[in-house]
Amino acid sequence: MAVYPAAAAFLLLWLWLSARNADTGILMAVAVIPFGMFAAMVVGGLSLIMANFLAVLSISILLIRWIAHAYEPRYLRFPPSGVYLLVFTLYSVFSGVVLVRLFQGQFLVFPMTVTNKGPQVSNFFNSVMLPLRPTNSNIAQSVYILLSFGFFLATVFVARRRGAEFIEKGLVWAALLNVLLGLFDFLGADAVLSLVRTADYALLNEHLVGPFSRVIGGYAEASAYGAASAVFFTYFFMSYLIGRKQSHGMLAAANFIGALLAMSSTGIAALAAGVLFVALHFRVYLGFRMSRGFGHLLVVGVSFLAIAASAMLLLPFVLDGLSDVMDRLIFSKQDSLSGRERGAWSVAGFDALVQTWGLGAGVGSLRGSGFASVLLGSVGLPGTIAFSLFVITAIGVSVSGANQTTLRLFCAGRVSSMTLLTAMLVSATTPDPTLLLMTTSALCVVAREEVYARNATEPLAQSAVGLSNRL
């Protein structure tokens, strides 16, 4: 087992915050999500990421406090989305314990643990296929999904007591830290970043796209940093359009630049999807009165960006470099070695669905590419349907009659969740929903509950006023 000094500093900070108020432990767990390669400790070759470690500690201390204080049932009731997520979680654990043994040795999969020991299936990449069998990855992925479920409920319960804006503070810190980590990586401060790159992962910080170096921030690779930056961009861009808060606009702009500097196919796809999702919500942010100053600023800003982009494209070396980058990341991606390898992973995931009669080979049993192939191959149709119902009930149901603040939180959480799901559909290799998706979807759930509660109490208040007037 290995423990790192920087992890001790983070743990002390968490202890200090939690001692003052246990709810703030959830905020810190959210805030450190951008430290995607920061292991609190390494046990038996398994890296326990700091965000997950603090999430476990926060859930544990909240459970103890809730048992000791016996909070009102209205704070602890399961939301409908939580029921579907529970079904998904239980089936995931069942698949990782039972199904992988039921179908053991019946077909080949790309194992979660990358290895070159085995028959090579293609001349274009080194990944090998092995017969399906139980491994430590089944246990690890089951634990991750259990943790995501527990974190979703803990976030919902805390937000009900403290308000959805309380959870947003964690996202603000996470977005800011994501920008700072990206800036350090862009400046080549590897000595500083080495303190928080302690996980036992392959560090891909020297990949080039044409003449440009990719930015990976606190993650192990550019695709993860690009996706996270796109999520933070859409959240705070949507929040800025509705609430007109300048700090949120600055966070959105900084994370947008970070997503571009990652130069990742996943990040570009997530950015494009995020912009589309924000645009589809135009009735929301145009529904509130737009000041003349904000309208002028918006028009001038968009015009300036269009003029600057057009002027840059007139320079031959810029146009050639941009064309080369876009060709590598998008147009010729499927013909690249990485694209061929990920295509094989995806096909193997769908093949596992067929081989297991739609039940799935078990979480942690195979490496897929794209959330659809990973889910269907790992947890089959039952688990995929349960997770789809969770997404629909958490972020798919719109709200009406909300005030500006509540609507801002709901819409920002919604578009950021959809952006993250898009990134996961492109490049996810595991069925873990992730703490970031649990945070943004929990915001949507609590914001919707606040609207329902307000709409239910307003008629009662109006009836009481009418009765008092008659009396």
Side-chain angles (χ1 to χ4, degrees):
M1 183 178 75
V3 181
Y4 301 97
F10 276 71
L11 181 58
L12 289 175
L13 177 60
W14 178 88
L15 286 171
W16 180 70
L17 292 173
S18 299
R20 300 177 63 188
N21 191 322
D23 294 339
T24 55
I26 293 291
L27 295 189
M28 185 169 177
V30 174
V32 300
I33 287 176
F35 293 92
M37 201 180 174
F38 186 16
M41 62 183 69
V42 178
V43 182
L46 178 63
S47 297
L48 184 58
I49 300 302
M50 177 59 67
N52 294 335
F53 183 56
L54 296 185
V56 171
L57 295 179
S58 300
I59 293 171
S60 301
I61 196 171
L62 286 173
L63 278 174
I64 295 172
R65 192 184 67 173
W66 290 334
I67 293 173
H69 294 279
Y71 286 114
E72 297 180 28
R74 63 190 178 94
Y75 292 134
L76 304 179
R77 70 182 186 280
F78 261 50
S81 54
V83 176
Y84 294 121
L85 186 61
L86 174 62
V87 174
F88 167 73
T89 302
L90 293 178
Y91 188 82
S92 297
V93 175
F94 169 77
S95 69
V97 175
V98 177
L99 293 183
V100 62
R101 289 170 171 80
L102 179 64
F103 298 107
Q104 181 176 354
Q106 296 187 18
F107 56 94
L108 299 177
V109 297
F110 289 102
M112 283 291 300
T113 304
V114 179
T115 177
N116 295 327
K117 297 180 180 179
Q120 190 171 348
V121 297
S122 175
N123 294 325
F124 297 104
F125 50 84
N126 295 324
S127 294
V128 300
M129 300 188 75
L130 299 175
L132 177 68
R133 63 184 179 88
T135 64
N136 291 336
S137 297
N138 297 113
I139 299 174
Q141 291 301 316
S142 298
V143 171
Y144 285 141
I145 293 176
L146 280 168
L147 176 59
S148 294
F149 167 71
F151 192 74
F152 172 78
L153 288 184
T155 304
V156 168
F157 296 161
V158 169
R160 282 173 177 168
R161 295 180 52 252
R162 304 295 297 271
E165 285 187 287
F166 179 77
I167 303 300
E168 187 183 52
K169 296 176 182 177
L171 287 173
V172 170
W173 278 104
L176 179 60
L177 289 172
N178 188 65
V179 171
L180 292 176
L181 290 170
L183 179 61
F184 285 144
D185 188 46
F186 179 76
L187 297 176
D190 292 336
V192 176
L193 291 175
S194 63
L195 298 175
V196 292
R197 287 175 175 171
T198 55
D200 189 20
Y201 298 159
L203 179 61
L204 306 178
N205 64 335
E206 297 181 356
H207 282 193
L208 300 177
V209 179
F212 305 105
S213 177
R214 289 176 164 182
V215 173
I216 66 172
Y219 292 89
E221 57 182 356
S223 61
Y225 180 73
S229 299
V231 171
F232 292 130
F233 158 70
T234 51
Y235 182 92
F236 289 103
F237 186 45
M238 191 71 190
S239 177
Y240 173 69
L241 290 175
I242 298 176
R244 317 284 198 258
K245 195 172 183 179
Q246 290 187 356
S247 60
H248 286 192
M250 295 173 63
L251 283 174
N255 279 281
F256 179 80
I257 295 173
L260 291 179
L261 292 177
M263 285 181 283
S264 160
S265 302
T266 303
I268 292 175
L271 268 183
V275 172
L276 175 62
F277 296 144
V278 171
L280 290 176
H281 287 75
F282 70 95
R283 292 185 178 179
V284 176
Y285 46 84
L286 295 181
F288 294 101
R289 185 178 179 181
M290 183 181 293
S291 66
R292 179 175 297 181
F294 179 80
H296 287 172
L297 178 64
L298 186 62
V299 171
V300 171
V302 173
S303 301
F304 175 78
L305 289 176
I307 293 172
S310 300
M312 292 293 290
L313 291 177
L314 292 176
L315 301 175
F317 70 92
V318 174
L319 182 60
D320 293 341
L322 181 61
S323 299
D324 181 56
V325 170
M326 295 301 291
D327 183 66
R328 290 170 180 265
L329 295 181
I330 299 177
F331 303 117
S332 301
K333 180 65 176 180
Q334 291 184 341
D335 297 327
S336 65
L337 297 181
S338 174
R340 292 175 184 270
E341 185 174 40
R342 284 186 169 274
W345 293 353
S346 179
V347 171
F350 290 116
D351 179 66
L353 173 71
V354 176
Q355 296 291 337
T356 58
W357 309 320
L359 296 177
V363 294
S365 298
L366 56 87
R367 178 180 295 270
S369 179
F371 207 42
S373 72
V374 171
L375 275 181
L376 290 170
S378 300
V379 295
L381 291 175
T384 303
I385 292 172
F387 185 80
S388 300
L389 291 174
F390 159 73
V391 172
I392 292 171
T393 53
I395 68 175
V397 182
S398 301
V399 297
S400 60
N403 59 26
Q404 184 175 6
T405 300
T406 306
L407 188 61
R408 178 184 65 80
L409 292 167
F410 174 80
C411 292
R414 189 186 200 186
V415 296
S416 58
S417 297
M418 295 166 67
T419 302
L420 181 53
L421 286 170
T422 301
M424 294 168 71
L425 285 171
V426 173
S427 61
T429 58
T430 68
D432 177 24
T434 74
L435 299 184
L436 184 54
L437 180 62
M438 297 297 96
T439 303
T440 54
S441 57
L443 276 178
C444 294
V445 169
V446 176
R448 187 188 300 109
E449 290 179 349
E450 291 178 358
V451 174
Y452 289 164
R454 186 179 298 109
N455 292 341
T457 55
E458 283 181 355
L460 295 176
Q462 293 173 0
S463 299
V465 172
L467 180 59
S468 63
N469 290 337
R470 287 195 297 270
L471 293 175

